[in-house]
């Protein structure tokens, strides 16, 4: 029996819905970070009033109470901001993975994201998009390098319990300095070598970086014309 051969056609991928969904998620994240950080600031004001009240009643313990207050504020703020770093990173992972799937489904591609061997989902997704679309998402070097820096920060939060890397005082001090230079505003406890993010500036920057990088990826994929068998 003779079978009809499949005919190749040129096709562009429709990413309008994907782009709108991604922009909505990023907009929600921005509002979430701002709203919660304002609530944290208000909580800080309440704690400060409580501290002043305690100091008035126990002036002999002023130094200890001030120290406890600052540690409590650092912990409170860092819990939220550290989890926000992980949340925004996860959004980038998810978006790039979904974009890879959009490419595969729309082009009837034989290669899937799972075919690539890499435990780093962001790096694997970028590699998949570059291979299937013949584009270079790393050409925006400054943007890509910043993503990699935030990726390292996220890993230190998740895998090292928000502690500076290093096994000796010299290495710890060197890495702490590098961390402060890379992420201005980060607070490092040189006794325990843990670090705290205590305002929303780094989160806002990461959202901007993710927004810009996903915009580049979507635009690059949108500009490609694929040859698809029908």
């Amino acid at each position: 029996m003779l079978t009809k051969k499949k005919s190749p056609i040129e096709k562009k991928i429709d990413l309008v819905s994907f782009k709108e969904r991604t922009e909505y998620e990023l907009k929600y994240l921005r509002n979430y970070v701002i709203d919660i950080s304002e609530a944290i600031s208000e909580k800080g004001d309440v704690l400060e009033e409580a501290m002043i009240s305690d100091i008035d009643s126990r002036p002999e313990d002023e130094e200890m109470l001030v120290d406890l207050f600052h540690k409590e504020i650092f912990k409170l703020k860092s819990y939220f901001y550290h989890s926000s770093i992980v949340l925004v990173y996860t959004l980038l992972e998810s978006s790039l993975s979904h974009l890879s799937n959009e490419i595969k489904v729309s082009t009837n591609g034989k290669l899937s994201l799972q075919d690539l061997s890499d435990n780093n989902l962001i790096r694997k997704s970028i590699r998949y998009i570059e291979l299937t679309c013949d584009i270079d998402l790393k050409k925006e070097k400054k943007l890509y390098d910043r993503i990699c820096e935030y990726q390292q920060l996220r890993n230190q939060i998740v895998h090292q319990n928000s502690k500076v890397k290093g096994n000796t005082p010299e290495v710890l001090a060197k890495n702490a300095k590098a961390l402060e230079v890379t992420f201005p505003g980060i607070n490092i406890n040189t006794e325990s070598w843990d670090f705290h993010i205590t305002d929303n500036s780094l989160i806002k920057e990461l959202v901007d970086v993710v927004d810009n990088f996903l915009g580049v990826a979507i635009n690059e994929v949108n500009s490609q014309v694929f040859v698809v068998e029908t």
Side-chain angles (χ1 to χ4, degrees):
M1 182 177 69
L2 296 177
T3 57
K4 184 179 179 180
K5 292 184 178 181
K6 294 181 178 179
S7 303
I9 63 168
E10 290 187 344
K11 178 181 180 181
K12 298 190 73 171
I13 299 178
D14 182 4
L15 293 176
V16 172
S17 295
F18 177 82
K19 184 177 181 181
E20 289 178 348
R21 183 172 70 249
T22 302
E23 289 175 346
Y24 174 81
E25 290 174 341
L26 286 164
K27 179 182 178 181
Y28 172 80
L29 265 182
R30 290 183 198 278
N31 293 334
Y32 171 76
V33 169
I34 293 172
D35 290 346
I36 300 299
S37 61
E38 287 177 352
I40 288 174
S41 179
E42 291 173 2
K43 178 62 175 177
D45 293 339
V46 172
L47 286 174
E48 185 172 7
E49 291 176 3
M51 181 196 73
I52 292 172
S53 177
D54 286 341
I55 290 174
D56 287 341
S57 62
R58 297 165 58 188
E60 70 279 6
D61 296 325
E62 179 176 356
E63 184 176 347
M64 179 196 70
L65 291 170
V66 169
D67 182 58
L68 285 174
F69 166 74
H70 287 302
K71 286 181 179 178
E72 186 65 24
I73 288 297
F74 280 150
K75 285 182 181 179
L76 178 66
K77 290 183 176 180
S78 65
Y79 288 152
F80 168 69
Y81 293 122
H82 291 199
S83 65
S84 295
I85 290 286
V86 176
L87 177 62
V88 180
Y89 177 91
T90 301
L91 174 61
L92 178 59
E93 277 186 327
S94 175
S95 297
L96 289 174
S97 175
H98 288 158
L99 180 56
S100 299
N101 188 62
E102 290 273 355
I103 295 169
K104 183 184 187 308
V105 172
S106 298
T107 62
N108 300 322
K110 294 180 179 179
L111 180 69
S112 69
L113 188 60
Q114 291 68 34
D115 293 328
L116 303 182
S117 58
D118 196 326
N119 292 327
N120 187 313
L121 183 56
I122 288 179
R123 188 168 58 220
K124 182 162 70 171
S125 297
I126 289 173
R127 181 62 178 155
Y128 178 86
I129 295 167
E130 290 179 332
L131 284 172
T132 54
C133 300
D134 192 27
I135 57 179
D136 181 11
L137 294 182
K138 298 187 286 291
K139 65 182 180 181
E140 301 284 345
K141 189 176 187 309
K142 186 176 181 180
L143 187 59
Y144 178 76
D145 287 348
R146 195 58 173 159
I147 284 177
C148 293
E149 289 172 345
Y150 269 105
Q151 200 167 38
Q152 291 301 313
L153 179 63
R154 177 264 182 194
N155 290 343
Q156 284 183 253
I157 291 171
V158 173
H159 301 303
Q160 295 182 249
N161 198 27
S162 301
K163 288 188 176 293
V164 177
K165 293 181 180 179
N167 297 318
T168 67
E170 294 77 15
V171 174
L172 285 165
K174 179 181 178 181
N175 289 340
K177 181 64 177 177
L179 194 61
E180 289 175 325
V181 171
T182 305
F183 300 102
I186 204 166
N187 183 280
I188 298 177
N189 185 328
T190 54
E191 294 180 359
S192 59
W193 294 109
D194 55 348
F195 60 83
H196 302 281
I197 300 169
T198 56
D199 65 51
N200 62 22
S201 58
L202 290 179
I203 314 300
K204 287 181 176 179
E205 185 201 4
L206 179 55
V207 173
D208 287 339
V209 168
V210 169
D211 190 357
N212 290 334
F213 188 78
L214 287 175
V216 169
I218 291 170
N219 288 337
E220 287 287 334
V221 175
N222 248 335
S223 68
Q224 301 304 305
V225 178
F226 298 86
V227 178
V228 180
E229 289 188 344
T230 60

